[in-house]
Amino acid sequence: MRNVPPPDTRLVCTQPFSWFEIHPDGSVFLCCPAWLKTSVGNLLHTPLQAIWNGDKARGIRKAILDGSFSCCNRKRCPRLPSASAPVMTAAQIPDDAIRRVVLDRETVLPYGPKVLNLCVDRSCNLACPSCRQEPFVASGVEDATVRTLMERILVEAAPGAEKLILSGTGDPFGSPGFRHLLRSFDPAAFPHLRTIHLHSNGQLWDPSMWASMPGIHPYVRTAEISVDAADAPTYALNRRGGNFERLCDNLAFIATLPIDLTLSFVVQANNYRQLPAFVELARRYGARVYVSQLVNWGTFSRQEFRLRAVHLPEHPEHGAFRERLSGIALEPGVDVGNLHPLLEGADPTGIAP
Protein backbone atom coordinates (compact mmCIF):
# COMPACT_ATOMS: atom_id res chain seq x y z
CA MET A 1 0.00 0.00 0.00
CA ARG A 2 1.39 3.41 -0.99
CA ASN A 3 2.28 5.77 1.82
CA VAL A 4 0.15 8.89 1.46
CA PRO A 5 1.60 12.02 3.08
CA PRO A 6 -0.54 13.96 5.56
CA PRO A 7 -2.65 16.67 3.90
CA ASP A 8 -0.51 19.52 5.20
CA THR A 9 2.81 18.06 3.96
CA ARG A 10 1.92 17.04 0.40
CA LEU A 11 3.24 19.21 -2.41
CA VAL A 12 0.69 21.27 -4.28
CA CYS A 13 0.73 24.22 -6.65
CA THR A 14 -1.41 27.18 -5.65
CA GLN A 15 -1.49 28.70 -9.15
CA PRO A 16 -4.84 27.21 -10.31
CA PHE A 17 -6.35 28.33 -7.00
CA SER A 18 -5.56 32.00 -7.54
CA TRP A 19 -4.49 32.74 -11.15
CA PHE A 20 -6.72 34.03 -13.97
CA GLU A 21 -4.91 34.80 -17.24
CA ILE A 22 -6.89 36.32 -20.12
CA HIS A 23 -5.62 36.26 -23.72
CA PRO A 24 -6.50 38.42 -26.76
CA ASP A 25 -9.09 35.95 -28.07
CA GLY A 26 -10.79 35.83 -24.65
CA SER A 27 -9.38 32.43 -23.68
CA VAL A 28 -8.61 31.98 -20.00
CA PHE A 29 -5.83 29.95 -18.37
CA LEU A 30 -5.10 29.11 -14.74
CA CYS A 31 -1.35 29.31 -15.33
CA CYS A 32 1.03 30.29 -18.13
CA PRO A 33 -0.17 28.27 -21.15
CA ALA A 34 3.43 27.26 -21.90
CA TRP A 35 3.34 25.35 -18.61
CA LEU A 36 -0.35 24.39 -18.45
CA LYS A 37 -1.88 24.56 -21.90
CA THR A 38 -5.53 23.80 -21.10
CA SER A 39 -7.86 26.78 -21.55
CA VAL A 40 -10.66 26.72 -19.00
CA GLY A 41 -13.07 28.96 -20.95
CA ASN A 42 -13.54 32.16 -22.89
CA LEU A 43 -14.43 35.44 -21.21
CA LEU A 44 -16.02 36.75 -24.40
CA HIS A 45 -18.65 34.02 -24.26
CA THR A 46 -18.92 32.90 -20.63
CA PRO A 47 -19.26 34.77 -17.31
CA LEU A 48 -16.16 34.77 -15.15
CA GLN A 49 -17.65 32.73 -12.30
CA ALA A 50 -18.80 30.00 -14.68
CA ILE A 51 -15.23 29.75 -15.99
CA TRP A 52 -13.55 29.99 -12.58
CA ASN A 53 -15.50 27.07 -11.14
CA GLY A 54 -16.28 25.28 -14.40
CA ASP A 55 -15.54 21.64 -15.17
CA LYS A 56 -12.15 22.32 -16.79
CA ALA A 57 -10.94 24.49 -13.93
CA ARG A 58 -12.06 21.90 -11.40
CA GLY A 59 -10.29 19.15 -13.34
CA ILE A 60 -7.00 21.05 -13.25
CA ARG A 61 -7.30 21.65 -9.51
CA LYS A 62 -8.11 17.97 -8.97
CA ALA A 63 -4.90 17.01 -10.80
CA ILE A 64 -3.00 19.21 -8.34
CA LEU A 65 -4.75 17.87 -5.27
CA ASP A 66 -4.27 14.21 -6.24
CA GLY A 67 -0.53 14.81 -6.67
CA SER A 68 -0.39 13.77 -10.31
CA PHE A 69 0.14 17.25 -11.82
CA SER A 70 -1.14 15.54 -14.97
CA CYS A 71 -2.18 18.78 -16.67
CA CYS A 72 1.23 20.40 -16.17
CA ASN A 73 4.21 20.47 -18.52
CA ARG A 74 7.05 19.36 -16.25
CA LYS A 75 9.74 20.22 -18.80
CA ARG A 76 8.66 23.84 -19.19
CA CYS A 77 7.35 24.72 -15.75
CA PRO A 78 10.05 26.63 -13.85
CA ARG A 79 8.66 25.72 -10.42
CA LEU A 80 7.94 21.97 -10.43
CA PRO A 81 11.61 20.94 -10.87
CA SER A 82 12.77 22.90 -7.83
CA ALA A 83 9.53 22.70 -5.83
CA SER A 84 9.60 26.47 -5.39
CA ALA A 85 6.66 28.84 -4.95
CA PRO A 86 3.88 28.58 -6.01
CA VAL A 87 4.76 24.88 -5.53
CA MET A 88 4.87 24.19 -1.80
CA THR A 89 3.39 22.04 0.93
CA ALA A 90 -0.16 22.79 1.93
CA ALA A 91 1.06 23.90 5.36
CA GLN A 92 3.30 26.53 3.75
CA ILE A 93 0.49 28.26 1.83
CA PRO A 94 0.39 31.82 3.23
CA ASP A 95 -3.12 32.67 2.04
CA ASP A 96 -5.71 31.40 4.52
CA ALA A 97 -8.48 30.94 1.95
CA ILE A 98 -6.28 28.97 -0.45
CA ARG A 99 -4.79 26.84 2.33
CA ARG A 100 -8.27 26.00 3.56
CA VAL A 101 -9.59 24.76 0.19
CA VAL A 102 -6.40 22.79 -0.48
CA LEU A 103 -6.55 21.06 2.91
CA ASP A 104 -10.24 20.33 2.35
CA ARG A 105 -9.48 19.14 -1.23
CA GLU A 106 -12.03 21.54 -2.68
CA THR A 107 -12.08 22.27 -6.41
CA VAL A 108 -15.05 24.68 -6.32
CA LEU A 109 -13.67 27.85 -4.79
CA PRO A 110 -15.74 30.16 -2.57
CA TYR A 111 -13.69 33.18 -3.72
CA GLY A 112 -12.91 34.64 -7.13
CA PRO A 113 -9.56 35.03 -8.92
CA LYS A 114 -6.95 36.68 -6.73
CA VAL A 115 -4.30 37.23 -9.44
CA LEU A 116 -5.22 38.76 -12.80
CA ASN A 117 -2.67 38.36 -15.56
CA LEU A 118 -3.85 40.68 -18.32
CA CYS A 119 -2.59 39.31 -21.64
CA VAL A 120 -5.50 40.72 -23.64
CA ASP A 121 -3.39 43.02 -25.82
CA ARG A 122 -0.48 41.87 -28.01
CA SER A 123 0.58 45.45 -28.72
CA CYS A 124 4.32 45.99 -28.30
CA ASN A 125 6.92 48.48 -29.47
CA LEU A 126 9.51 45.76 -30.22
CA ALA A 127 9.63 42.71 -32.48
CA CYS A 128 11.67 40.20 -30.52
CA PRO A 129 12.20 37.03 -32.62
CA SER A 130 11.39 34.81 -29.65
CA CYS A 131 7.89 36.34 -29.56
CA ARG A 132 6.84 37.87 -32.89
CA GLN A 133 7.89 38.73 -36.42
CA GLU A 134 7.19 42.48 -36.31
CA PRO A 135 5.92 45.24 -33.99
CA PHE A 136 2.17 45.20 -33.46
CA VAL A 137 -0.44 47.68 -32.24
CA ALA A 138 -4.02 46.49 -31.92
CA SER A 139 -6.46 48.16 -34.26
CA GLY A 140 -9.85 47.52 -35.80
CA VAL A 141 -11.54 44.33 -34.61
CA GLU A 142 -8.66 43.38 -32.33
CA ASP A 143 -8.69 46.76 -30.62
CA ALA A 144 -12.46 46.47 -30.14
CA THR A 145 -11.97 43.02 -28.60
CA VAL A 146 -9.35 44.41 -26.24
CA ARG A 147 -11.78 47.09 -25.11
CA THR A 148 -14.57 44.55 -24.59
CA LEU A 149 -12.35 42.28 -22.54
CA MET A 150 -11.06 45.16 -20.44
CA GLU A 151 -14.63 46.24 -19.66
CA ARG A 152 -15.56 42.72 -18.55
CA ILE A 153 -12.42 42.41 -16.47
CA LEU A 154 -13.15 45.69 -14.68
CA VAL A 155 -16.72 44.61 -13.92
CA GLU A 156 -16.30 40.90 -13.16
CA ALA A 157 -12.69 40.39 -12.01
CA ALA A 158 -11.32 43.65 -10.64
CA PRO A 159 -13.49 43.79 -7.46
CA GLY A 160 -11.86 40.66 -6.01
CA ALA A 161 -8.36 40.94 -7.44
CA GLU A 162 -5.42 41.21 -5.06
CA LYS A 163 -2.66 41.29 -7.67
CA LEU A 164 -2.58 42.71 -11.20
CA ILE A 165 0.01 41.66 -13.79
CA LEU A 166 0.69 43.42 -17.08
CA SER A 167 1.59 41.88 -19.52
CA GLY A 168 2.56 38.46 -20.80
CA THR A 169 1.79 39.07 -24.47
CA GLY A 170 2.87 42.65 -25.16
CA ASP A 171 4.29 45.63 -23.30
CA PRO A 172 2.31 47.61 -20.70
CA PHE A 173 3.82 50.87 -21.98
CA GLY A 174 3.69 49.93 -25.67
CA SER A 175 -0.02 49.08 -25.56
CA PRO A 176 -2.42 52.03 -25.86
CA GLY A 177 -5.05 50.07 -23.93
CA PHE A 178 -2.75 49.23 -21.05
CA ARG A 179 -1.30 52.76 -20.96
CA HIS A 180 -4.84 54.10 -20.60
CA LEU A 181 -5.56 51.67 -17.77
CA LEU A 182 -2.37 52.65 -15.95
CA ARG A 183 -2.76 56.40 -16.49
CA SER A 184 -6.41 56.45 -15.44
CA PHE A 185 -6.02 53.85 -12.70
CA ASP A 186 -8.85 54.06 -10.17
CA PRO A 187 -8.20 52.22 -6.88
CA ALA A 188 -11.97 52.14 -6.27
CA ALA A 189 -12.30 49.66 -9.15
CA PHE A 190 -9.80 47.35 -7.40
CA PRO A 191 -10.83 47.58 -3.72
CA HIS A 192 -8.75 44.55 -2.65
CA LEU A 193 -5.69 45.21 -4.77
CA ARG A 194 -2.35 44.94 -2.98
CA THR A 195 0.23 44.87 -5.77
CA ILE A 196 0.81 45.50 -9.46
CA HIS A 197 3.54 43.64 -11.32
CA LEU A 198 4.83 45.12 -14.57
CA HIS A 199 6.53 42.94 -17.21
CA SER A 200 8.12 45.17 -19.84
CA ASN A 201 10.99 45.46 -22.28
CA GLY A 202 11.90 48.69 -20.49
CA GLN A 203 12.32 50.81 -23.61
CA LEU A 204 9.43 53.16 -22.80
CA TRP A 205 9.68 53.11 -19.01
CA ASP A 206 11.38 56.46 -18.54
CA PRO A 207 10.76 59.24 -15.97
CA SER A 208 8.18 60.94 -18.19
CA MET A 209 6.15 57.77 -18.74
CA TRP A 210 6.26 56.95 -15.03
CA ALA A 211 5.18 60.47 -14.05
CA SER A 212 2.10 60.11 -16.27
CA MET A 213 0.83 57.21 -14.11
CA PRO A 214 0.82 58.49 -10.51
CA GLY A 215 -2.14 56.37 -9.44
CA ILE A 216 -0.24 53.09 -9.78
CA HIS A 217 2.90 54.18 -7.92
CA PRO A 218 1.81 52.88 -4.47
CA TYR A 219 0.92 49.48 -5.97
CA VAL A 220 3.86 48.63 -8.23
CA ARG A 221 6.02 46.50 -5.96
CA THR A 222 7.69 44.20 -8.51
CA ALA A 223 8.76 44.36 -12.14
CA GLU A 224 10.46 42.17 -14.73
CA ILE A 225 12.39 43.59 -17.65
CA SER A 226 13.07 41.19 -20.53
CA VAL A 227 16.63 41.76 -21.77
CA ASP A 228 18.11 38.54 -23.24
CA ALA A 229 21.57 40.07 -23.71
CA ALA A 230 24.50 41.68 -21.92
CA ASP A 231 25.74 43.95 -24.70
CA ALA A 232 24.38 46.14 -27.50
CA PRO A 233 25.06 43.82 -30.51
CA THR A 234 23.33 40.84 -28.93
CA TYR A 235 20.50 43.03 -27.66
CA ALA A 236 19.92 44.26 -31.23
CA LEU A 237 19.52 40.64 -32.35
CA ASN A 238 17.19 39.49 -29.57
CA ARG A 239 15.23 42.69 -28.84
CA ARG A 240 14.69 43.89 -32.37
CA GLY A 241 13.86 47.59 -32.50
CA GLY A 242 15.30 48.26 -29.05
CA ASN A 243 18.22 50.45 -28.05
CA PHE A 244 20.62 49.05 -25.44
CA GLU A 245 21.80 52.47 -24.30
CA ARG A 246 18.20 53.60 -23.75
CA LEU A 247 17.51 50.40 -21.84
CA CYS A 248 20.45 51.04 -19.52
CA ASP A 249 19.36 54.64 -18.95
CA ASN A 250 15.85 53.46 -18.07
CA LEU A 251 17.15 50.70 -15.81
CA ALA A 252 19.17 53.30 -13.93
CA PHE A 253 15.94 55.24 -13.37
CA ILE A 254 13.86 52.19 -12.42
CA ALA A 255 16.55 51.20 -9.93
CA THR A 256 15.78 54.39 -7.98
CA LEU A 257 12.15 53.32 -7.46
CA PRO A 258 11.00 51.21 -4.47
CA ILE A 259 10.47 48.20 -6.74
CA ASP A 260 11.86 44.66 -6.52
CA LEU A 261 13.38 44.40 -10.01
CA THR A 262 14.18 41.28 -12.04
CA LEU A 263 16.01 41.16 -15.36
CA SER A 264 15.11 38.12 -17.45
CA PHE A 265 17.14 36.21 -19.99
CA VAL A 266 15.69 33.70 -22.47
CA VAL A 267 18.61 31.43 -23.32
CA GLN A 268 19.51 30.69 -26.93
CA ALA A 269 22.59 29.90 -28.98
CA ASN A 270 23.45 33.54 -29.63
CA ASN A 271 23.50 34.67 -26.00
CA TYR A 272 24.24 31.84 -23.56
CA ARG A 273 27.94 32.75 -23.39
CA GLN A 274 26.87 36.09 -21.88
CA LEU A 275 25.21 34.57 -18.81
CA PRO A 276 28.02 35.62 -16.40
CA ALA A 277 28.08 39.14 -17.87
CA PHE A 278 24.28 39.31 -17.61
CA VAL A 279 24.43 38.54 -13.90
CA GLU A 280 26.88 41.41 -13.50
CA LEU A 281 24.61 43.69 -15.54
CA ALA A 282 21.69 42.90 -13.23
CA ARG A 283 23.80 43.57 -10.15
CA ARG A 284 24.67 46.98 -11.53
CA TYR A 285 20.99 47.91 -11.16
CA GLY A 286 20.31 45.99 -7.94
CA ALA A 287 18.17 43.48 -9.84
CA ARG A 288 17.54 39.77 -9.56
CA VAL A 289 18.13 37.42 -12.51
CA TYR A 290 15.63 35.02 -14.07
CA VAL A 291 16.84 32.62 -16.78
CA SER A 292 14.52 30.43 -18.86
CA GLN A 293 14.24 28.13 -21.84
CA LEU A 294 13.49 29.36 -25.33
CA VAL A 295 9.92 28.50 -26.37
CA ASN A 296 8.73 28.38 -29.96
CA TRP A 297 5.56 30.51 -30.06
CA GLY A 298 5.25 29.89 -33.81
CA THR A 299 7.87 32.46 -34.80
CA PHE A 300 10.56 29.92 -35.73
CA SER A 301 10.62 27.07 -38.19
CA ARG A 302 11.34 23.70 -36.59
CA GLN A 303 14.88 23.82 -37.98
CA GLU A 304 15.61 27.36 -36.77
CA PHE A 305 14.27 26.59 -33.32
CA ARG A 306 16.60 23.60 -32.99
CA LEU A 307 19.54 25.75 -34.06
CA ARG A 308 18.67 28.30 -31.35
CA ALA A 309 17.48 25.99 -28.55
CA VAL A 310 20.77 25.36 -26.80
CA HIS A 311 18.92 23.91 -23.79
CA LEU A 312 18.05 20.81 -25.83
CA PRO A 313 20.43 17.88 -25.17
CA GLU A 314 20.98 17.28 -28.88
CA HIS A 315 22.23 20.82 -29.52
CA PRO A 316 25.99 20.75 -30.34
CA GLU A 317 26.71 23.51 -27.79
CA HIS A 318 24.54 22.02 -25.05
CA GLY A 319 27.53 20.96 -22.93
CA ALA A 320 29.11 24.40 -23.10
CA PHE A 321 25.78 25.97 -22.19
CA ARG A 322 25.40 23.73 -19.13
CA GLU A 323 28.83 24.83 -17.94
CA ARG A 324 27.80 28.50 -18.17
CA LEU A 325 24.50 27.75 -16.45
CA SER A 326 26.17 25.87 -13.59
CA GLY A 327 28.55 28.78 -13.19
CA ILE A 328 25.76 31.20 -12.29
CA ALA A 329 23.07 28.94 -10.81
CA LEU A 330 24.22 29.29 -7.20
CA GLU A 331 24.89 33.02 -7.40
CA PRO A 332 22.74 35.12 -5.01
CA GLY A 333 19.59 36.44 -6.65
CA VAL A 334 19.78 34.07 -9.64
CA ASP A 335 16.77 31.90 -10.54
CA VAL A 336 17.35 29.37 -13.33
CA GLY A 337 13.66 28.44 -13.49
CA ASN A 338 12.83 25.62 -15.91
CA LEU A 339 16.53 25.09 -16.60
CA HIS A 340 17.02 23.71 -13.09
CA PRO A 341 16.86 20.03 -14.23
CA LEU A 342 20.02 20.62 -16.31
CA LEU A 343 22.10 21.27 -13.20
CA GLU A 344 24.31 18.44 -11.99
CA GLY A 345 22.51 16.30 -9.46
CA ALA A 346 19.06 17.72 -10.21
CA ASP A 347 16.09 15.47 -10.90
CA PRO A 348 15.58 15.83 -14.69
CA THR A 349 11.89 14.89 -14.41
CA GLY A 350 10.90 17.45 -11.78
CA ILE A 351 9.24 16.67 -8.47
CA ALA A 352 7.94 13.16 -7.93
CA PRO A 353 4.15 12.79 -7.86
Side-chain angles (χ1 to χ4, degrees), residues 233-251:
T234 307
Y235 188 78
L237 292 174
N238 293 337
R239 297 269 126 192
R240 199 162 56 211
N243 181 288
F244 190 70
E245 184 178 354
R246 181 187 304 121
L247 170 72
C248 292
D249 287 344
N250 289 349
L251 288 176

Side-chain angles (χ1 to χ4, degrees), residues 7-329:
D8 60 344
T9 61
R10 66 178 184 266
L11 281 173
V12 296
C13 177
T14 61
Q15 200 86 329
F17 296 86
S18 63
W19 189 272
F20 199 80
E21 179 170 319
I22 313 101
H23 281 241
D25 63 353
S27 57
V28 175
F29 299 85
L30 300 186
C31 187
C32 172
W35 311 336
L36 199 166
K37 67 179 182 180
T38 302
S39 171
V40 295
N42 191 297
L43 195 59
L44 290 172
H45 311 308
T46 308
L48 181 146
Q49 278 301 326
I51 297 172
W52 182 239
N53 281 323
D55 290 342
K56 290 184 177 180
R58 295 181 65 190
I60 289 172
R61 293 177 189 131
K62 182 177 183 296
I64 298 294
L65 294 174
D66 67 18
S68 70
F69 294 87
S70 58
C71 298
C72 304
N73 187 323
R74 291 174 178 268
K75 292 183 178 180
R76 288 186 178 175
C77 176
R79 302 307 167 207
L80 282 172
S82 57
S84 56
V87 177
M88 62 189 75
T89 66
Q92 292 172 322
I93 299 173
D95 185 287
D96 291 340
I98 297 177
R99 185 172 62 254
R100 190 176 303 114
V101 296
V102 166
L103 289 173
D104 292 343
R105 305 181 72 84
E106 297 289 343
T107 58
V108 175
L109 307 185
Y111 54 84
K114 293 174 177 284
V115 181
L116 300 182
N117 190 16
L118 302 189
C119 300
V120 299
D121 192 349
R122 298 187 298 117
S123 298
C124 187
N125 52 303
L126 300 186
C128 307
S130 59
C131 180
R132 64 190 69 213
Q133 298 291 345
E134 58 188 19
F136 173 83
V137 177
S139 61
V141 173
E142 188 151 359
D143 180 58
T145 302
V146 169
R147 293 173 184 272
T148 298
L149 286 169
M150 290 298 294
E151 289 173 1
R152 296 190 180 185
I153 290 165
L154 288 171
V155 172
E156 299 184 49
E162 297 178 6
K163 183 175 182 177
L164 188 62
I165 301 174
L166 291 92
S167 154
T169 54
D171 188 273
F173 307 109
S175 156
F178 288 150
R179 280 202 308 271
H180 175 73
L181 173 67
L182 297 176
R183 284 172 169 163
S184 61
F185 182 77
D186 180 6
F190 294 86
H192 297 287
L193 191 69
R194 297 177 182 175
T195 64
I196 295 175
H197 174 81
L198 298 178
H199 188 172
S200 170
N201 57 53
Q203 287 288 309
L204 301 176
W205 192 349
D206 57 20
S208 176
M209 180 69 76
W210 186 243
S212 73
M213 305 170 171
I216 68 169
H217 293 185
Y219 296 93
V220 180
R221 309 282 180 81
T222 59
E224 178 179 340
I225 307 296
S226 298
V227 181
D228 301 350
D231 62 26
T234 307
Y235 188 78
L237 292 174
N238 293 337
R239 297 269 126 192
R240 199 162 56 211
N243 181 288
F244 190 70
E245 184 178 354
R246 181 187 304 121
L247 170 72
C248 292
D249 287 344
N250 289 349
L251 288 176
F253 164 68
I254 297 167
T256 68
L257 304 175
I259 293 173
D260 190 343
L261 180 64
T262 296
L263 303 189
S264 57
F265 190 101
V266 175
V267 171
Q268 47 194 305
N270 71 12
N271 69 3
Y272 78 88
R273 297 174 188 84
Q274 297 187 351
L275 280 169
F278 184 73
V279 173
E280 291 304 314
L281 177 73
R283 285 178 175 159
R284 188 188 312 167
Y285 301 107
R288 303 175 190 271
V289 169
Y290 175 63
V291 186
S292 63
Q293 298 175 7
L294 179 69
V295 174
N296 190 357
W297 297 105
T299 54
F300 303 125
S301 67
R302 184 183 181 89
Q303 181 181 8
E304 184 179 3
F305 178 71
R306 291 190 171 276
L307 289 173
R308 287 177 175 263
V310 72
H311 69 278
L312 297 177
E314 61 269 24
H315 195 283
E317 296 182 67
H318 181 70
F321 158 63
R322 289 183 65 171
E323 288 183 10
R324 292 295 204 290
L325 183 69
S326 296
I328 67 162

